[in-house]
């Protein structure tokens, strides 16, 4: 049996380039893994896929991306092997932190390492894309640009200094499909922002106006969920240097100069709102902490 950790992400920047013929939206987004993780225990078996989540609110059947990822992987290796998986969930569900997508990618990477064979890297990417737009990022971790549906990944070098961020997690979630539906077509950006253009041209993130940019979905999501807009305003007024929504919400993240001011900002948030610090994880640290190094060594 091998244990892997499946880290959450934030979208430090997200711009919408327009709606595509397939109904998805063309994005240019900056992903980073953060130090908040689920745990997956994977055991190889003779056949079939089973998942145990230990929680009634977490599906253990094919509605769970872990099961679909394992089935797609096992189909690609052509049978003769199965997987029994236990998921210990810590990443809040439905918050825009990508927990389910991370779990799917961890399942693919974990099974590839454990079986020591199987699909090529390109095939893993293809399976990841078929599972969801956020899944391919989690095959790479660290800092990366996501283009296309967010599933064409350009890995970027780590930040010089990890970002210390505070997360505000409301008690409600936002549907990604609804958030994109509410995005007004006329707000689409034909041209990449200067930040993204600089990164596409090979510039460093530090020279590209810094890592935290905008999120084009904020106005649409705050329209759907005025209480999230109110939370955003409350955090701005509590002397945060920057406040942003991650992905399609409902998680907001904030940067403060002073940790005491950050802690104080947590007092008086709406009931049910979680408030805690995280930091960004670079690629090598993400890889090691995920347990991929140990599995490569046969541990
Ligand atoms: O790929 P995923 O299942 O996470 O996406 C959920 C929904 O969000 C899609 O069905 C689509 O409506 C919307 N979406 C989009 N553009 C993207 C990603 C997601 O419109 N790039």
């Amino acid at each position: 049996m091998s244990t892997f950790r499946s880290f959450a992400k934030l979208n430090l920047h997200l711009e919408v380039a327009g709606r595509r013929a397939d109904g998805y939206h063309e994005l240019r987004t900056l992903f980073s893994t953060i130090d908040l993780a689920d745990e997956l225990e994977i055991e190889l078996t003779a056949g079939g896929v089973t998942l145990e989540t230990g929680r009634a609110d977490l599906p253990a059947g094919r509605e769970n991306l872990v099961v679909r990822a394992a089935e797609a992987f096992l189909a690609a290796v052509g049978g003769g092997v199965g997987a029994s998986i236990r998921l210990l969930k810590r990443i809040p569900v439905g918050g825009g932190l990508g927990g389910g997508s991370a779990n799917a990618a961890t399942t693919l990477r974990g099974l590839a390492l454990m079986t020591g064979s199987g699909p090529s890297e390109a095939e893993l990417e293809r399976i990841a894309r078929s599972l969801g737009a956020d899944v391919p990022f989690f095959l790479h971790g660290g800092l990366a640009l996501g283009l296309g549906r967010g599933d064409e990944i350009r890995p970027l070098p780590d930040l010089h200094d990890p970002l210390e961020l505070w997360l505000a997690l409301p008690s409600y979630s936002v549907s990604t499909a609804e958030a994109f539906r509410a995005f007004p077509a006329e707000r689409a950006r034909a041209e990449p922002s200067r930040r993204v253009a600089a990164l596409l041209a090979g510039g460093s993130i530090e020279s590209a106006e810094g890592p935290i940019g905008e999120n084009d979905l904020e106005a649409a999501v705050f329209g759907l969920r005025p209480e999230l807009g109110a939370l955003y305003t409350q955090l701005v007024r509590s002397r945060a240097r920057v406040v942003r929504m991650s992905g399609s919400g409902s998680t907001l993240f904030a940067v403060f100069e002073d940790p005491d001011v950050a802690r104080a900002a947590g007092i008086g948030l709406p009931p049910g709102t979680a408030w805690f610090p995280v930091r960004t994880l670079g690629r090598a640290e993400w890889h090691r902490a995920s347990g991929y190094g140990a599995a490569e060594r046969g541990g």
Side-chain angles (χ1 to χ4, degrees), residues 23-27 101 131-134 148-150 176-178 180-181:
Y24 274 81
H25 287 74
E26 191 76 9
L27 305 180
S101 301
L131 295 167
D134 275 350
R149 299 184 313 158
T176 303
E178 236 183 280
F180 277 104
R181 262 202 306 277

Side-chain angles (χ1 to χ4, degrees), residues 44-237:
L44 296 181
T45 63
V49 174
T50 61
L51 173 67
E52 207 183 298
T53 66
R55 261 172 54 172
D57 60 331
L58 282 180
R62 301 202 70 220
E63 315 88 281
N64 196 309
L65 272 186
V66 167
V67 173
R68 273 185 273 156
E71 287 182 351
F73 180 93
L74 299 173
V77 297
V81 60
S84 162
I85 306 174
R86 266 168 45 101
L87 169 63
L88 180 65
K89 199 79 191 160
R90 294 203 190 90
I91 304 172
V93 176
L97 295 168
S101 301
N103 297 161
T106 305
T107 303
L108 295 177
R109 271 262 174 267
L111 286 172
L113 288 165
M114 291 174 77
T115 56
S117 64
S120 64
E121 202 57 29
E123 179 71 356
L124 278 187
E125 291 271 350
R126 191 199 59 73
I127 298 174
R129 277 184 187 183
S130 75
L131 295 167
D134 275 350
V135 182
F137 164 68
F138 291 105
L139 291 176
H140 300 275
L143 188 70
L145 265 180
L147 306 174
R149 299 184 313 158
D151 57 354
E152 292 168 25
I153 301 303
R154 308 261 179 103
L156 296 170
D158 293 343
L159 298 169
H160 283 309
D161 300 306
L163 293 170
E164 310 274 348
L165 304 160
W166 285 74
L167 298 194
L169 277 150
S171 55
Y172 48 85
S173 58
V174 173
S175 145
T176 303
E178 236 183 280
F180 277 104
R181 262 202 306 277
F183 179 80
E186 66 275 13
R187 295 287 308 278
R189 304 193 200 206
E191 295 302 322
S193 62
R194 278 173 44 198
R195 174 179 279 99
V196 169
L199 291 170
L200 288 173
S204 77
I205 188 83
E206 282 80 10
S207 67
E209 306 182 337
I212 301 179
E214 294 110 283
N215 182 336
D216 289 351
L217 291 174
E218 276 172 8
V221 172
F222 297 166
L224 289 172
R225 280 283 186 178
E227 61 273 51
L228 191 58
L231 177 60
Y232 176 92
T233 305
Q234 183 175 349
L235 291 174
V236 170
R237 289 188 181 147

Side-chain angles (χ1 to χ4, degrees), residues 33-52:
T33 33
I34 54 170
D35 63 345
L36 173 66
D38 293 337
E39 236 169 70
L40 278 171
E41 287 176 7
I42 306 182
E43 202 163 346
L44 296 181
T45 63
V49 174
T50 61
L51 173 67
E52 207 183 298

